[in-house]
Amino acid sequence: MTTMNATISGSRIYGYGRVSTNEQTADNQRMEIEAAGYALTPRRWFADAISGRVHASQRPQFAKLLERLEEGDTLVVSKLDRLGRDSIDVEQTLQRLEGMGVSVVVLQLGKSDLTSTAGKLIRKILGAVADMERDLIVERTQAGQARARAEGKHMGRPSKLTDQQREELRSRRKAGESIGVLAEAYGIGRATVVNACRDRAGT
């Protein structure tokens, strides 16, 4: 296998990896990038041990990488999700790198530069798929909620009081016991006491 030098068409090669916890290592991601033919020096490899839910720009090592990158450089990652927490964050990261004049290669998608014309088409397709998946999730959630309501199931957080406790609470409140005393007696907040009494008043 031919290994690419530290420069491709005059560009420097950088790599980035991410794992979720400190117990994990990004070494396998670096090995995957090097196995694909991209030579990485220690100074040009950056990796974060941080949750994938964190925006790319808020990841310490990725932030350092952004400071190091210059026009003409190439950034290589193993998978697309290394560039952001979701499709929106990934696209914003790619736009930022494109604006810096940095090429981006995601091995998961082949070796196309995602900042090139062909790469931008790939990004649009991926964005459309992500939007469709979000719409399907919303649709399934709404359908499930509608079924649950039709079956008489309670939606939202479970009540902190049983029906019997609600009746007892209302009776004690009507007898003059304070909201604070009732809240402590039932282990609930004052607002819950008020709402329980208001529910009956509104029926």
Side-chain angles (χ1 to χ4, degrees):
M1 178 184 65
T2 301
T3 302
M4 299 182 186
N5 295 325
T7 60
I8 297 180
S9 301
S11 70
R12 300 177 302 176
I13 303 299
Y14 284 86
Y16 174 74
R18 183 194 61 77
V19 291
S20 298
T21 68
N22 288 320
E23 286 71 35
Q24 298 172 296
T25 174
D27 289 347
N28 287 341
Q29 295 173 44
R30 176 174 179 172
M31 291 170 60
E32 184 179 352
I33 292 172
E34 292 182 330
Y38 298 93
L40 293 172
T41 64
R43 293 181 63 255
R44 293 177 183 166
W45 168 249
F46 295 78
D48 278 303
I50 195 168
S51 169
R53 297 175 182 173
V54 177
H55 286 280
S57 60
Q58 296 174 347
R59 301 172 185 174
Q61 289 300 310
F62 193 78
K64 290 182 179 180
L65 170 62
L66 289 175
E67 294 177 357
R68 186 76 63 83
L69 288 168
E70 297 178 359
E71 184 177 359
D73 290 340
T74 296
L75 172 61
V76 186
V77 296
S78 60
K79 295 182 178 180
L80 192 62
D81 63 5
R82 303 299 182 259
L83 296 174
R85 59 170 292 177
D86 52 31
S87 60
I88 295 175
D89 193 29
V90 169
E91 179 59 27
Q92 290 175 341
T93 300
L94 287 169
Q95 289 178 0
R96 179 173 182 177
L97 292 167
E98 180 183 351
M100 295 168 60
V102 175
S103 299
V104 182
V105 174
V106 179
L107 299 184
Q108 180 187 36
L109 303 175
K111 294 186 178 181
S112 298
D113 172 15
L114 292 187
T115 64
S116 67
T117 302
K120 290 177 183 178
L121 177 59
I122 294 174
R123 285 156 53 182
K124 288 182 179 180
I125 294 172
L126 292 174
V129 171
D131 288 342
M132 182 179 69
E133 289 178 345
R134 281 195 296 270
D135 290 342
L136 288 173
I137 290 172
V138 171
E139 185 178 325
R140 286 195 293 267
T141 300
Q142 292 176 339
Q145 291 174 341
R147 277 197 306 273
R149 284 192 292 268
E151 295 169 2
K153 294 181 180 179
H154 175 74
M155 302 298 295
R157 290 184 294 182
S159 174
K160 296 179 181 179
L161 298 169
T162 65
D163 290 341
Q164 181 179 349
Q165 288 174 325
R166 285 176 177 275
E167 290 298 332
E168 293 174 353
L169 185 149
R170 290 166 184 145
S171 296
R172 293 174 64 174
R173 177 61 178 152
K174 189 175 181 179
E177 292 191 56
S178 70
I179 292 176
V181 169
L182 291 172
E184 184 174 353
Y186 287 89
I188 57 179
R190 295 171 63 91
T192 303
V193 174
V194 173
N195 288 334
C197 295
R198 184 183 298 143
D199 287 345
R200 172 48 61 90
T203 57

